[in-house]
Amino acid sequence: SAVISQKPSRDICQRGTSLTIQCQVDSQVTMMFWYRQQPGQSLTLIATANQGSEATYESGFVIDKFPISRPNLTFSTLTVSNMSPEDSSIYLCSVDVSANTGELFFGEGSRLTVL
Amino acid sequence: AQSVTQLGSHVSVSEGALVLLRCNYSSSVPPYLFWYVQYPNQGLQLLLKYTSAATLVKGINGFEAEFKKSETSFHLTKPSAHMSDAAEYFCAVGKAAGNKLTFGGGTRVLVKP
């Protein structure tokens, strides 16, 4: 298993501003995944962050809007840039710590409200 | 490409009654299948996982799921619902360890006393 800490847990932001979400894991992991959960919706993968390389973005998500850093094997950040009310969501960091089961462990999420 | 379909966005059950949540998947390779639960204002918690060892998988809190390849299904059941089971449940599919998961739309369970 893994303990995943996300900061902030929630925030209220103004339109046009940017916010960086931090994800800290208590063990070294190769892959970190950033998901978005819009109100009342399921989880959608934004990007996969692999240490030492550029993040891989899913269709519909771009680096200019959601820049990601992965400086080491236990930490990652996701920035939501130039926010609009449509960015109001829960952003979840997840990691795969098992060698062969494929399960992901999730942080508690960062709930952003954009006014 | 992988996809997951959960039938029914909302399910209402009486306390003590059977809980049945349906999940169908599509995958080009033998899948890794998961059920997660999300309680209000919390992150996701793994209920159970299928990784080709046994078709009937037992998880936490009395839940179990059966993998049926012929039906491409992985339905979740619990014989007797408890009030604490009220939450949202997500089915997810993956291709391999270390790979991303694709989630279904989720099913919100309401338990009536």
Side-chain angles (χ1 to χ4, degrees):
Chain A
S1 65
V3 177
I4 303 169
S5 302
Q6 281 188 238
K7 292 181 181 178
S9 58
R10 59 178 63 232
D11 207 340
I12 299 174
C13 309
Q14 296 299 316
R15 182 195 298 260
T17 63
S18 299
L19 183 78
T20 296
I21 302 167
Q22 299 179 4
C23 178
Q24 179 75 52
V25 188
D26 68 343
S27 58
Q28 294 185 340
V29 295
T30 303
M31 309 294 284
M32 296 180 79
F33 304 89
W34 286 98
Y35 283 85
R36 180 177 73 180
Q37 186 178 23
Q38 294 178 299
Q41 303 295 315
S42 184
L43 282 76
T44 302
L45 182 65
I46 297 171
T48 302
N50 197 357
Q51 194 267 337
S53 62
E54 293 286 329
T56 302
Y57 289 83
E58 297 296 304
S59 176
F61 297 96
V62 295
I63 187 171
D64 290 346
K65 176 67 175 177
F66 298 101
I68 288 172
S69 78
R70 183 78 201 275
N72 58 52
L73 291 173
T74 64
F75 187 78
S76 178
T77 67
L78 169 75
T79 298
V80 186
S81 303
N82 188 24
M83 287 185 284
S84 67
E86 292 72 34
D87 295 318
S88 297
S89 297
I90 302 172
Y91 293 86
L92 296 130
C93 170
S94 66
V95 302
D96 174 7
V97 297
S98 65
N100 54 15
T101 64
E103 68 186 87
L104 298 186
F105 289 88
F106 285 82
E108 293 288 309
S110 298
R111 184 183 296 269
L112 302 188
T113 302
V114 185
L115 303 178
Chain B
Q2 303 166 102
S3 66
V4 181
T5 302
Q6 292 183 238
L7 294 177
S9 59
H10 292 80
V11 168
S12 181
V13 299
S14 298
E15 191 173 19
L18 171 72
V19 180
L20 170 61
L21 305 183
R22 300 179 186 275
C23 172
N24 288 88
Y25 69 91
S26 68
S27 176
S28 57
V29 298
Y32 289 65
L33 293 162
F34 308 87
W35 276 99
Y36 285 86
V37 60
Q38 186 178 35
Y39 298 103
N41 299 314
Q42 295 188 25
L44 272 73
Q45 179 182 3
L46 182 71
L47 272 179
L48 49 80
K49 59 193 175 191
Y50 167 76
T51 54
S52 78
T55 57
L56 184 61
V57 181
K58 294 188 182 299
I60 63 171
N61 301 340
F63 285 93
E64 63 181 36
E66 186 173 10
F67 172 68
K68 292 186 176 180
K69 183 178 180 180
S70 61
E71 299 177 7
T72 61
S73 69
F74 190 56
H75 301 332
L76 181 72
T77 60
K78 180 174 180 177
S80 176
H82 191 272
M83 296 299 291
S84 61
D85 295 326
E88 184 139 25
Y89 293 79
F90 294 96
C91 183
V93 63
K95 285 195 298 186
N99 208 266
K100 65 184 180 183
L101 295 185
T102 300
F103 285 82
T107 299
R108 185 172 298 277
V109 173
L110 171 66
V111 182
K112 299 176 293 186

